[in-house]
Amino acid sequence: MSWYCDIAPGHPFHGPYHDQEYGFPLTDERALFERLCLEIFQAGLSWLIVLKKRPSMVAAFDGFDVDKVAAYGDSEMDRLLSDPGIIRNRRKLAAIVENARRLQALRAREGSFAAWIERHHPLSKEDWVRLFKSSFVFMGGEVVGEFLMSIGYLPGAHRADCPVCLKLVSINPPWIQVGEDFYSK
């Protein structure tokens, strides 16, 4: 098994993401939406491409403000499709806008994206995938699994001997609370 922990240390893009974000719990709606969008953009591409384009994507998507993105229409889609600084896949861009609209509806029903995730925890990865597929678009096992690992809801982001894992244990992400055997490989 290949671990992100093996390629990230010292890398100018992977290193900071691995050390400061990957596997750390998130509750802020904008940050959660950004992370979900980044995982959608990564589908079929390398994570390095996503990390390199991340600043341009944050700017292009109004900081991943859910309400602003949900209001995007044809002119914004044309703008995004012509922006060389971002990943310009029409299906992915349309999914981002649709998911912002679905997040608005979810927020109205559930209070927040973070509250919705927490209310469904714990689930198996397969059940998470089913839930996300029924709630959002462009959701597959890798997108959902990586999203949930990246925000601390599924184990596997770091090896047991990774220094970041030791930091995460002190933060106590949700997957530790449900007795997941994180230390088995």
Side-chain angles (χ1 to χ4, degrees):
M1 175 176 201
S2 175
W3 289 89
Y4 196 46
C5 306
D6 296 328
I7 64 166
H11 191 279
F13 292 95
H14 291 300
Y17 179 75
H18 170 270
D19 295 350
Q20 299 164 21
E21 295 184 70
Y22 192 53
F24 288 77
L26 282 180
T27 56
D28 176 73
E29 180 181 72
R30 188 212 58 78
L32 286 167
F33 181 54
E34 175 187 0
R35 192 71 57 84
L36 184 63
C37 294
L38 294 178
E39 294 299 343
I40 289 169
F41 281 124
Q42 189 275 329
L45 301 173
S46 79
W47 188 239
L48 182 58
I49 290 170
V50 173
L51 291 176
K52 284 181 175 181
K53 291 186 174 276
R54 187 180 189 183
S56 295
M57 291 192 289
V58 169
F61 284 92
D62 292 301
F64 288 100
D65 179 288
V66 171
D67 295 321
K68 288 180 181 178
V69 174
Y72 284 5
D74 291 340
S75 63
E76 287 84 5
M77 188 62 75
D78 291 342
R79 174 184 58 82
L80 293 169
L81 286 167
S82 66
D83 186 340
I86 69 168
I87 295 166
R88 297 178 289 175
N89 176 299
R90 185 179 296 277
R91 285 185 58 230
K92 291 178 182 182
L93 296 173
I96 301 304
V97 174
E98 177 60 25
N99 286 338
R101 293 172 182 153
R102 291 180 182 209
L103 268 175
Q104 286 180 315
L106 184 142
R107 184 196 309 140
R109 285 189 322 271
E110 306 285 338
S112 72
F113 191 17
W116 178 80
I117 293 169
E118 183 59 31
R119 270 195 279 284
H120 288 92
H121 182 69
L123 293 175
S124 67
K125 180 181 174 184
E126 296 76 23
D127 288 339
W128 279 117
V129 171
R130 275 192 284 281
L131 177 65
F132 271 76
K133 280 184 172 188
S134 71
S135 304
F136 301 103
V137 297
F138 212 97
M139 296 290 116
E142 287 301 309
V143 169
V144 174
E146 281 297 325
F147 170 70
L148 292 168
M149 268 198 298
S150 81
I151 64 168
Y153 273 84
L154 285 178
H158 301 277
R159 279 192 329 259
D161 64 343
C162 174
V164 176
C165 180
L166 300 175
K167 190 187 308 182
L168 284 169
V169 168
S170 71
I171 293 172
N172 198 23
W175 52 263
I176 289 176
Q177 297 171 357
V178 297
E180 292 285 347
D181 186 11
F182 174 75
Y183 294 99
S184 67
K185 293 182 180 174

